[in-house]
């Protein structure tokens, strides 16, 4: 996740307030709340992207061996996004291990699978990037900001936007862009200019 210059300014101010508590201005509180919403939006978008990639990976895996090149590229991408390989991935990689990229990915996925098995046996949760972002505590602890005991306002459902003229039919392209008129043929006898003389 990358932050812009303005977001970094807000983040620096929020960290300064956390380290050296002092009353925060209303503007600082609003900036921090906006940044928190932006981070939540980015996390939700990241989760949607991961879910899409995992579904795409399953389609490529089902079409193997014809989609081997695309499958290996997608697998590398979803592993980088926190995906944990499942038994189907390991079986597919074993079938493709003649490919050097598949062999390297198989070694990497075996290590991840072994870590998952050890974690389950130890009773720990498997470390993976969630496909749905976990709910994050709202930003309530800024000095001078919202009070922790203040009840959080429930977001009211937004009214669905109505089209401006629902009973008016949508114009056809011919109505919006009428056909051009072709130029007519030139006149048969062009008028001649008489020379003054």
């Amino acid at each position: 996740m990358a932050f812009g210059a303005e977001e970094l300014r807000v983040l620096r101010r929020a960290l300064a307030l956390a380290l050296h508590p002092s009353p925060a201005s209303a503007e600082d509180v609003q900036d921090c709340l906006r940044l928190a919403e932006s981070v939540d939006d980015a996390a939700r978008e990241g989760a949607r992207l991961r879910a899409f990639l995992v579904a795409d990976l399953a389609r490529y895996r089902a079409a193997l061996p014809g989609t081997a090149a695309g499958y290996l590229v997608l697998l590398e991408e979803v592993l980088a996004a926190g995906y944990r390989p499942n038994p189907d991935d390991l079986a597919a990689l074993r079938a493709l291990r003649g490919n050097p990229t598949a062999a390297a990915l198989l070694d990497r996925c075996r290590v991840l699978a072994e870590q998952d098995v050890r974690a389950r046996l130890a009773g720990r949760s498997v470390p993976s990037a969630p496909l749905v972002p976990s709910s994050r505590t709202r930003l309530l602890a800024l000095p001078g900001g919202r009070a922790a005991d203040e009840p959080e306002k429930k977001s009211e459902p937004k009214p669905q936007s109505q089209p401006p003229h629902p009973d008016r039919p949508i114009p056809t392209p011919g109505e919006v862009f009428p056909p051009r008129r072709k130029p007519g043929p030139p006149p048969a006898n062009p008028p001649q200019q008489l020379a003054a003389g």
Side-chain angles (χ1 to χ4, degrees), residues 70-96:
Y71 172 73
L72 295 174
V73 169
L74 264 176
L75 183 58
E76 283 182 328
E77 194 171 342
V78 295
L79 287 174
Y83 173 74
R84 305 303 274 197
N86 62 30
D88 291 337
D89 294 312
L90 294 172
L93 289 171
R94 278 190 211 100
L96 298 171

Side-chain angles (χ1 to χ4, degrees), residues 1-12 35 38-39:
M1 188 179 297
F3 289 103
E6 183 64 20
E7 292 166 328
L8 283 174
R9 183 193 66 76
V10 174
L11 189 57
R12 241 191 320 268
L35 179 62
S38 296
V39 169

Side-chain angles (χ1 to χ4, degrees), residues 82-171:
Y83 173 74
R84 305 303 274 197
N86 62 30
D88 291 337
D89 294 312
L90 294 172
L93 289 171
R94 278 190 211 100
L96 298 171
R97 76 179 137 208
N99 179 319
T101 305
L105 277 171
L106 179 59
D107 292 341
R108 182 175 169 192
C109 289
R110 277 185 181 147
V111 169
L112 292 172
E114 287 172 12
Q115 289 173 355
D116 291 350
V117 170
R118 285 193 188 110
R120 283 192 193 99
L121 290 175
R124 296 191 311 265
S125 62
V126 177
S128 68
L131 291 181
V132 177
S134 59
S135 60
R136 189 173 50 74
T137 306
R138 296 297 298 162
L139 190 63
L140 300 173
L142 276 179
R146 287 169 151 181
D149 56 352
E150 177 185 327
E152 195 171 331
K153 295 178 184 175
K154 291 185 178 179
S155 60
E156 298 175 7
K158 295 180 182 176
Q160 294 183 352
S161 60
Q162 295 291 330
H165 304 287
D167 48 336
R168 184 173 165 235
I170 297 172

Side-chain angles (χ1 to χ4, degrees), residues 19-20 30 42 48 55-56 67 71 87 94 109 125 143 183 186 188 192 196:
L19 293 172
H20 307 288
Q30 288 304 315
R48 279 193 294 272
D56 216 16
T67 56
Y71 172 73
R94 278 190 211 100
C109 289
S125 62
Q192 296 179 357

Side-chain angles (χ1 to χ4, degrees), residues 179-185:
R180 284 193 206 169
R181 303 280 182 239
K182 293 184 179 178

